[in-house]
Amino acid sequence: MDRREVARRIAEESIVLLKNEDGLLPLPAQKKVAFFGRTQISTLYSGNGSGGANVTGCASILEECEKNGIVPEKLLKGFYQYKIGEESVSEADTFDWTKVSELVNSGVMYEIFGKYRAPLKEYEVPDTLISQAAEQTDTALIVLGRNSGGEECDRHLTEDYFLTETESRLMDTVCRHFPEVVVVLNVNGLIDLSWVENRRSLKSLLFIGIPGEEGAAALARILTGKVCPSGKMAVTVAREYEEYPSAHHFSWDKENPEKILTYEDYGLSSEANGSRGFAKSPVTVYRENIYAGYRYFDTFRKEVMIPFGYGLSYTSFQIEVGAVARARRGIEISVGVTNTGAVSGREVVQVYLSKRECQGEERPYQELKGFEKTALLEPGERQERTILIPWRELAVYRETEAAWMVEAGEYILRVGNSSRNTKISGGFAVEEDLLIEQCANRLVIAPCNQGKIEFLSRQTEGDGKAGETQRCGGEGDRIPLVIGAQDLPGEERDEPKQRIRVPDLSTEELAALCVGYGPGTPFAAVGDRSDPPTICDKEGKPLTTNSHPTGYQGYVSPAIESRGISSVFYKDGPAGIGEIAWPTEMLIACSFDRELWYLFGDAVGEECEKQKVDLWLAPAVNLHRNPLCGRNFEYFSEDPYLTGVCACEVAKGVQRNHPVLVCPKHFAVNEQETFRRGNARQNYDAVDSVLTEKAARELYLKPFEMLVREAGISCIMTSFNKINGVLAGGNRDLCTHILREEWGFEGAVVTDWGDMDVVVDGADAVAAGNDIVMPGGPPVIGQILKGVEEGRVTREELEKAVGHLLGMISKTKETRL
């Protein structure tokens, strides 16, 4: 399949129809429509920063709608074309994030990174134009756009999450003049949708997120009925921002430092937490604990605007559940799906797991544990599918025992097409507590903070309104399927591979290999290149070089060719590497389609192979914890299981078909961009993500764990933030004890790309198991050598890190089957 066809198909299968009263959509052929909103022409195809893409020459929503037979009202079309044509374009608007090696001015990088850019104002459309358009057609289409926030910068609440003043006026005016209004959300994150309920003429609502260069064509095909929508929301939309459980524990307003949450706001001590000498020590407390997204809303019976997993179709389906049975790999649920409507379409069947009793380890009311998307079903056609819940997905983490356990009791399976539209469809019983894996307590809350933060719990909050798990029902209320220890297979883990032999290298050479090749700035390729890219020996000869044919400084590993060590080339990012502008992960997840995710990985792997990229810095698998996170467009979902499945399929698509490796990021608990790496100029420390070990393991580490265990990744990128007081890049619990000792990871760990602000010391990183500091360069080599002198890092640890690097390099040379 052609890569652009893959991009269009992903968008078609992912766009979500959220509302369609009176069957307004699809539009009839040659329907005249009044188009409103600047984004109809200035369509947003891509995010920014590492999640950006090259969007030069992409067709707009207006253009693609015309191509597909929608007739725009002429006067309005001319008005918007004129207004956009007369606007000046800034350097920031035209900056191509994928071509850093070709630029000569790095100053713009630092101006753009971390600087909030508010949504552009909507044009004030003259009343006469609107009235004249209303005489020509009864249907209007408004495109709302958002591309605020990004790396180092979260979105704002007013005039961003909420409609801007100019958007509200436009919405009021259009809905007053037209009886049938369609709204398209071309947004890089959620926005408030409470206004939808107050406008009777607003009949249809579509979420297209940031859909890539083929997204406008995909939307037009859905609007005209050429494609039946089948996307499902991968996040929950609350009725009000304050109802998100993280709302009061997420800092976003970096322009007003007094609004940044610190340890002291929670009665904690910055000094006791190791943050000394800073003007401000930011924190983000994950007070919601394990109750993120629908886990919170469903457990505590909160009404929502749009449930997780929700999405409409132009047709209808009937889901029938058959047998629930044990299988070698887990529990299997047989389902049959029939298209009961009048047009061809696809449905997503979702399976949620609940535990009947409230005794035992605390857990949400229900959790997504399996899903399948049907083929394209003709009217009246039926398809049988089998949905697997892996054994490990039955387990919870007990902090008191540091163990993953499948607890004794009765479990209920709910099957449906969203988290709020399911039926009890069977269940099973577990005879006794079953140990899945014995661990050790890691990433625990700092001793100085223990007992001082009250995390959300079903036992202490909600005034008794927490969701009560219903009885399973059925004949005699009996669950026939019983699971015992004999049903669970022993843990399968590949035998550790023989460690790569590290050549006899000097300490200086080892240190020079534990960094990237270049002067040590993230954008070394665009600088004046006067700073040395490596250190030299006593004779003045560089210890390392760049041997890669296409890779550039700052994004390659060092080579020592005389020792058989060659360079590898890393390249961003989650939306591709600069050829196709792909839909962003926030939209991709809405397809709920494993095949498409695999095809996406395969297609990006082909691009990497073409450009001789060895490591693709993706997928990004942090979670949607708060709708204001500036990089939510780069992340798949609020749900860790859905995120993990998405990421694993993408990784398999790359690595099984190409001599290219993925590098998932940002490991871990990096859901807030604001001061994620502090600010050296303001003397602010890096933000500390404070959370329970249970929440870390069950939610925020889970996608990474799935990538290690199921997708065989060989590279992973740490995040800048602290986790319970320790920088992720220098966190031995994270990089060694959990990642390697528990999960069996054998690849290389690299830091995120950072040379400024508050980032991990190179020696501390290597000692913790973070093998490579990027972009590194001579400054970090110096840190490592100083650490050797001070005894903070040993030669053995340097050799181990270089061994991991060489093992990763060898993986890129393997021929994929």
Side-chain angles (χ1 to χ4, degrees):
M1 187 184 298
D2 176 79
R3 280 181 289 137
R4 280 190 168 77
E5 186 179 348
V6 173
R8 192 190 73 233
R9 186 180 161 195
I10 291 173
E12 289 174 351
E13 297 288 344
S14 303
I15 289 172
V16 187
L17 179 62
L18 297 173
K19 183 176 182 180
N20 196 29
E21 289 184 1
D22 304 327
L24 175 59
L25 299 178
L27 299 171
Q30 299 303 306
K31 173 68 177 178
K32 181 174 285 188
V33 174
F35 281 80
F36 292 90
R38 62 186 303 136
T39 313
Q40 62 171 298
I41 296 175
S42 299
T43 303
L44 301 171
Y45 314 93
S46 169
N48 51 47
S50 66
N54 182 8
V55 297
T56 305
C58 296
S60 69
I61 288 174
L62 179 64
E63 290 169 333
E64 289 294 347
C65 285
E66 284 191 272
K67 289 178 186 177
N68 282 270
I70 300 175
V71 180
E73 197 280 323
K74 290 183 179 179
L75 293 178
L76 281 173
K77 174 184 173 182
F79 168 80
Y80 276 100
Q81 288 177 328
Y82 171 76
K83 295 296 288 185
I84 287 180
E86 71 175 1
E87 280 188 340
S88 60
V89 180
S90 70
E91 190 171 13
D93 293 321
T94 59
F95 191 85
D96 184 355
W97 297 97
T98 70
K99 303 294 184 184
V100 294
S101 62
E102 300 171 7
L103 303 177
V104 294
N105 177 16
S106 64
V108 68
M109 297 279 192
Y110 297 100
E111 289 298 318
I112 295 173
F113 262 63
K115 188 174 183 179
Y116 178 74
R117 297 173 62 204
L120 297 174
K121 292 182 179 181
E122 280 294 347
Y123 302 119
E124 298 288 348
V125 185
D127 289 340
T128 53
L129 279 184
I130 297 176
S131 298
Q132 289 173 346
E135 293 175 359
Q136 299 295 315
T137 178
D138 58 359
T139 304
L141 188 149
I142 305 173
V143 185
L144 294 179
R146 285 291 182 280
N147 206 17
S148 51
E151 294 198 31
E152 315 297 327
C153 185
D154 293 304
R155 294 171 55 213
H156 285 197
L157 196 58
T158 57
E159 295 281 307
D160 189 343
Y161 176 76
F162 295 116
L163 290 185
T164 67
E165 183 179 343
T166 54
E167 288 171 338
S168 292
R169 286 200 298 270
L170 177 66
M171 193 71 63
D172 288 339
T173 302
V174 172
C175 287
R176 191 167 58 247
H177 282 82
F178 296 85
E180 295 182 335
V181 177
V182 179
V183 174
V184 174
L185 304 175
N186 183 194
V187 293
N188 69 339
L190 294 181
I191 64 172
D192 171 64
L193 293 179
S194 60
W195 46 270
V196 172
E197 294 181 327
N198 303 324
R199 292 170 167 84
R200 292 184 179 180
S201 59
L202 201 167
K203 303 292 186 181
S204 297
L205 180 68
L206 296 106
F207 173 81
I208 72 169
I210 303 296
E213 64 184 66
E214 291 295 318
L219 171 66
R221 286 165 59 81
I222 287 174
L223 291 172
T224 55
K226 295 181 177 70
V227 172
C228 181
S230 62
K232 305 286 185 179
M233 290 299 286
V235 292
T236 306
V237 181
R239 302 184 74 85
E240 298 179 7
Y241 174 74
E242 290 73 17
E243 292 182 353
Y244 288 103
S246 63
H248 300 293
H249 307 279
F250 183 92
S251 297
W252 51 267
D253 193 358
K254 64 193 301 184
E255 291 80 11
N256 293 285
E258 71 278 4
K259 295 183 180 180
I260 301 301
L261 294 168
T262 66
Y263 292 106
E264 283 66 31
D265 290 306
Y266 292 89
L268 308 177
S269 165
S270 300
E271 185 170 343
N273 278 275
S275 182
R276 301 181 181 91
F278 291 98
K280 191 172 285 290
S281 301
V283 298
T284 179
V285 175
Y286 287 57
R287 188 185 172 277
E288 66 275 16
N289 202 8
I290 59 172
Y291 300 105
Y294 71 87
R295 287 167 165 76
Y296 168 75
F297 294 104
D298 293 353
T299 300
F300 295 97
R301 294 182 177 180
K302 302 289 186 180
E303 290 299 316
V304 299
M305 179 69 68
I306 300 170
F308 174 85
Y310 176 84
L312 298 173
S313 173
Y314 294 153
T315 189
S316 57
F317 299 92
Q318 181 179 355
I319 300 173
E320 296 176 304
V321 180
V324 176
R326 67 172 62 82
R328 185 182 65 83
R329 296 190 298 143
I331 302 293
E332 289 187 346
I333 303 99
S334 299
V335 297
V337 183
T338 304
N339 184 344
T340 57
V343 299
S344 303
R346 303 181 72 189
E347 178 63 298
V348 176
V349 182
Q350 303 163 36
V351 180
Y352 295 84
L353 177 71
S354 301
K355 189 169 185 284
R356 178 177 291 182
E357 303 88 355
C358 291
Q359 294 85 1
E361 190 66 28
E362 184 153 343
R363 61 199 306 156
Y365 172 67
Q366 62 179 3
E367 298 172 276
L368 180 72
K369 294 298 181 182
F371 60 89
E372 288 290 341
K373 192 166 191 174
T374 68
L376 185 67
L377 301 180
E378 299 295 328
E381 186 177 359
R382 176 185 174 89
Q383 184 179 26
E384 302 289 337
R385 299 302 300 261
T386 299
I387 299 175
L388 174 72
I389 301 179
W391 291 121
R392 194 174 182 90
E393 291 304 314
L394 308 182
V396 292
Y397 184 75
R398 286 184 183 171
E399 280 193 45
T400 53
E401 300 175 30
W404 287 98
M405 305 290 296
V406 177
E407 295 186 306
E410 295 183 351
Y411 293 79
I412 293 169
L413 297 170
R414 290 180 165 85
V415 179
N417 62 3
S418 82
S419 66
R420 291 291 175 97
N421 185 33
T422 62
K423 292 181 180 179
I424 294 176
S425 302
F428 56 92
V430 177
E431 296 176 309
E432 60 182 337
D433 286 356
L434 303 175
L435 176 66
I436 295 294
E437 183 179 5
Q438 184 63 58
C439 305
N441 290 119
R442 308 293 185 192
L443 300 178
V444 297
I445 293 174
C448 61
N449 300 335
Q450 291 179 7
K452 297 181 180 180
I453 301 173
E454 186 176 357
F455 291 94
L456 186 61
S457 167
R458 292 179 68 164
Q459 279 69 48
T460 61
E461 305 230 3
D463 298 322
K465 296 180 182 179
E468 296 178 4
T469 306
Q470 300 176 26
R471 306 263 324 152
C472 184
E475 182 180 350
D477 201 21
R478 178 176 59 87
I479 294 180
L481 180 61
V482 179
I483 305 299
Q486 70 280 359
D487 295 305
L488 274 64
E491 184 180 3
E492 296 181 5
R493 180 177 291 186
D494 294 337
E495 288 295 322
K497 297 179 176 60
Q498 187 173 0
R499 184 179 295 179
I500 296 290
R501 190 183 70 82
V502 177
D504 184 18
L505 301 170
S506 69
T507 300
E508 290 75 17
E509 287 173 320
L510 290 171
L513 289 170
C514 290
V515 299
Y517 181 83
T521 56
F523 310 111
V526 301
D528 61 14
R529 309 188 186 214
S530 60
D531 293 329
T534 186
I535 62 173
C536 298
D537 61 18
K538 294 179 181 179
E539 285 72 40
K541 180 182 178 182
L543 290 184
T544 60
T545 61
N546 173 14
S547 67
H548 200 277
T550 61
Y552 38 83
Q553 290 187 16
Y555 284 85
V556 292
S557 66
I560 305 180
E561 294 182 85
S562 63
R563 300 301 184 92
I565 302 173
S566 57
S567 297
V568 290
F569 179 21
Y570 308 85
K571 194 169 186 182
D572 279 315
I577 62 166
E579 295 195 3
I580 300 291
W582 294 94
T584 59
E585 290 183 4
M586 177 182 67
L587 182 64
I588 289 173
C590 296
S591 72
F592 279 74
D593 190 328
R594 287 174 170 84
E595 177 193 358
L596 277 184
W597 300 330
Y598 185 91
L599 287 175
F600 169 55
D602 185 16
V604 176
E606 181 181 336
E607 294 181 350
C608 290
E609 195 167 358
K610 178 181 175 182
Q611 294 187 25
K612 295 182 171 59
V613 173
D614 301 296
L615 289 111
W616 177 37
L617 299 177
V621 294
N622 300 105
L623 302 185
H624 290 233
R625 177 186 173 228
N626 185 285
L628 298 186
C629 175
R631 297 179 77 175
N632 276 346
F633 68 93
E634 283 190 63
Y635 305 146
F636 291 110
S637 173
E638 68 186 31
D639 183 75
Y641 178 72
L642 176 60
T643 294
V645 175
C646 287
C648 285
E649 292 302 320
V650 172
K652 291 173 187 176
V654 174
Q655 297 184 161
R656 290 182 178 178
N657 299 289
H658 307 279
V660 177
L661 301 177
V662 298
C663 179
K665 59 185 184 181
H666 309 86
F667 189 51
V669 202
N670 176 195
E671 280 72 32
Q672 176 180 300
E673 286 297 300
T674 297
F675 298 124
R676 65 173 180 154
R677 58 180 182 186
N679 186 290
R681 180 175 57 82
Q682 295 175 279
N683 194 30
Y684 289 0
D685 199 359
V687 69
D688 187 2
S689 297
V690 179
L691 76 170
T692 65
E693 181 189 8
K694 181 179 176 67
R697 287 183 180 272
E698 291 189 358
L699 273 66
Y700 301 100
L701 298 186
K702 184 180 180 68
F704 295 100
E705 180 179 8
M706 293 174 68
L707 281 158
V708 172
R709 295 184 187 270
E710 300 173 25
I713 61 170
S714 295
C715 187
I716 196 167
M717 181 196 296
T718 54
S719 54
F720 288 122
N721 57 283
K722 295 181 178 181
I723 304 174
N724 287 329
V726 182
L727 288 167
N731 195 314
R732 182 178 289 272
D733 273 3
L734 184 71
C735 299
T736 295
H737 296 314
I738 291 177
L739 180 61
R740 297 192 188 279
E741 296 171 1
E742 291 184 17
W743 300 351
F745 179 72
E746 296 182 339
V749 182
V750 304
T751 66
D752 202 344
W753 269 240
D755 72 318
M756 51 191 155
D757 300 323
V758 182
V759 295
V760 67
D761 176 87
D764 295 340
V766 175
N770 192 331
D771 309 297
I772 304 161
V773 180
M774 296 298 292
V780 178
I781 297 172
Q783 292 176 1
I784 295 172
L785 292 175
K786 182 179 180 183
V788 172
E789 292 177 5
E790 296 174 348
R792 289 185 290 114
V793 63
T794 66
R795 179 181 172 88
E796 181 183 1
E797 288 167 334
L798 293 180
E799 289 178 340
K800 187 180 296 184
V802 171
H804 294 149
L805 169 66
L806 298 183
M808 181 185 75
I809 293 173
S810 70
K811 286 278 188 180
T812 67
K813 310 305 178 187
E814 295 177 3
T815 301
R816 300 292 181 261
L817 299 179

